[in-house]
């Protein structure tokens, strides 16, 4: 069982406040939280605050314990994040990157188990045939999948994904998010995923937080958050929202709104 909490998250770059008292809903085991918002709204900064990479005045807990309570190693034993930028297009092979990362993290598994784990993750993400291809020869989407493989290898209870599907085609977007959900039902844990695709968010997230200018504009179930009024306010677009047969919102974007124009 994992319970993840984050309240009062405020973050600055220099003197500029980019997150202002952000309170996320409590995430209980098996829940996926979608973090939505336009460019520069603060999603990646929030992800870095949640992981501990960026300092914040907020209170972030896993099962009621903070990073200070658990210590750096204890925290990162339970939490892993996939950054927005994929691994650099270097001459390194995906397999080498996985092994060197595992060595650096001192993961508590035998070489045999690790080899099986890497093989399984690569197979699931369609990377087996690219395992020995230098990263600079892979497409952007395949490199993004290697970035996801690195986070999954750590088998965390709290998985933070910053735009995990932004470079992926329609097939792989769904494979990735199916895998994320399947993993939660198999082993428990929680996921926070920053996403730009509203339909994927509606389909895969239990709760959605809509950020704008470093503040939360709406928070709750997809049907509650993905409304034409919220989307007009935050994304400056006119939309039509209908419900599919499972009651999930389907967002049709009609046009961008002009400056000063109401939806
Ligand atoms: N290292 C940094 N130094 C200074 N300002 C930064 C830094 N990183 C981000 N910012 C600023 O913080 C704000 C939030 O940026 P952030 O990357 O968190 O947005 P985002 O919601 O992830 O955007 P996107 O959808 O484009 O990825 C922006 O105004 C950005 O310019
Ligand atoms: Mg970002």
């Amino acid at each position: 069982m994992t319970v993840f909490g984050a309240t009062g998250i405020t973050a600055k770059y220099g003197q500029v406040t980019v997150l202002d008292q952000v309170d996320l809903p409590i995430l209980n085991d098996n829940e996926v939280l979608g973090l939505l918002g336009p460019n520069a709204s603060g999603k990646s900064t929030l992800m870095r605050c949640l992981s501990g990479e960026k300092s914040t005045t907020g209170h972030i807990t896993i099962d009621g314990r903070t990073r200070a309570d658990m210590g750096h190693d204890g925290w990162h034993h339970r939490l892993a994040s996939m950054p927005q930028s994929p691994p650099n297009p270097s001459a390194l092979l995906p397999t080498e990157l996985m092994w060197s990362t595992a060595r650096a993290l001192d993961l508590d598994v035998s070489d045999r188990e690790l080899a099986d784990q890497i093989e399984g993750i690569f197979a699931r993400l369609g990377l087996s045939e690219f395992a020995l291809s230098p990263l600079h020869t892979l497409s952007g989407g395949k490199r993004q999948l290697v970035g996801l493989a690195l986070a999954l290898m750590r088998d965390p209870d709290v998985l933070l994904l910053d735009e995990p599907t932004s470079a992926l085609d329609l097939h792989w977007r769904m494979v990735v998010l199916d895998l994320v959900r399947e993993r939660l039902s198999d082993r428990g844990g929680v996921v926070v995923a920053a996403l730009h695709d509203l339909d994927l968010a509606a389909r895969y997230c239990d709760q959605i937080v809509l950020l704008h200018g470093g503040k939360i504009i709406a928070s709750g179930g997809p049907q509650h958050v993905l409304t034409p009024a919220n989307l007009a306010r935050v994304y400056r677009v006119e939309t039509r929202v209908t419900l599919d047969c499972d009651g999930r919102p389907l967002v049709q974007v009609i046009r961008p709104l002009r400056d000063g124009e109401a939806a």
Side-chain angles (χ1 to χ4, degrees):
M1 285 288 289
T2 301
V3 179
F4 184 67
T7 52
I9 309 292
T10 293
K12 295 180 174 193
Y13 293 107
Q15 296 302 308
V16 182
T17 299
V18 294
L19 289 174
D20 188 12
Q21 291 293 327
V22 168
D23 294 329
L24 296 185
I26 297 278
L27 280 185
N28 290 299
D29 211 45
N30 208 357
E31 283 192 319
V32 177
L33 173 70
L35 202 55
L36 268 55
N39 296 134
S41 55
K43 302 180 298 297
S44 295
T45 303
L46 180 53
M47 287 296 203
R48 289 198 289 270
C49 291
L50 298 180
S51 72
E53 190 189 326
K54 178 159 178 61
S55 62
T56 166
T57 53
H59 189 67
I60 302 164
T61 55
I62 302 174
D63 297 340
R65 299 176 70 210
T66 64
R67 189 160 172 262
D69 299 333
M70 285 190 206
H72 177 275
D73 290 354
W75 185 257
H76 289 284
H77 180 68
R78 302 219 39 204
L79 175 149
S81 59
M82 171 196 179
Q84 186 168 352
S85 311
N88 288 329
S90 67
L92 214 59
L93 313 179
T95 291
E96 288 174 339
L97 181 61
M98 296 288 277
W99 279 93
S100 59
T101 304
R103 295 266 183 269
L105 292 166
D106 199 16
L107 294 181
D108 189 21
V109 287
S110 70
D111 282 0
R112 186 64 258 158
E113 285 169 319
L114 190 59
D116 288 348
Q117 212 172 314
I118 293 173
E119 198 181 314
I121 293 170
F122 276 5
R124 196 62 203 273
L125 296 178
L127 291 171
S128 305
E129 64 182 291
F130 304 102
L132 300 176
S133 306
L135 284 161
H136 68 77
T137 68
L138 300 191
S139 70
K142 295 297 178 197
R143 270 192 297 120
Q144 189 169 48
L145 289 167
V146 174
L148 177 62
L150 285 169
L152 290 176
M153 177 176 67
R154 298 170 62 176
D155 195 28
D157 295 324
V158 178
L159 178 61
L160 307 177
L161 303 172
D162 195 349
E163 299 199 31
T165 59
S166 59
L168 303 183
D169 67 37
L170 295 174
H171 175 85
W172 288 105
R173 273 180 217 180
M174 295 187 63
V175 170
V176 160
L177 292 171
D178 281 346
L179 173 59
V180 164
R181 284 246 63 131
E182 194 184 302
R183 191 180 159 273
L184 289 188
S185 34
D186 287 350
R187 54 129 12 251
V190 303
V191 173
V192 182
L195 296 166
H196 276 300
D197 184 319
L198 304 181
D199 288 328
L200 284 182
R203 184 180 179 124
Y204 287 99
C205 298
D206 302 294
Q207 306 197 60
I208 291 178
V209 159
L210 192 55
L211 269 184
H212 187 39
K215 292 186 181 187
I216 293 187
I217 299 299
S219 171
Q223 203 179 327
H224 172 74
V225 173
L226 299 179
T227 63
N230 284 339
L231 297 173
R233 177 175 175 195
V234 166
Y235 289 104
R236 307 293 303 142
V237 287
E238 182 183 338
T239 55
R240 188 173 297 127
V241 180
T242 52
L243 297 182
D244 72 7
C245 53
D246 297 318
R248 288 180 302 224
L250 287 173
V251 179
Q252 183 188 359
V253 181
I254 297 167
R255 65 183 177 95
L257 294 171
R258 290 184 294 276
D259 284 348
E261 184 188 12

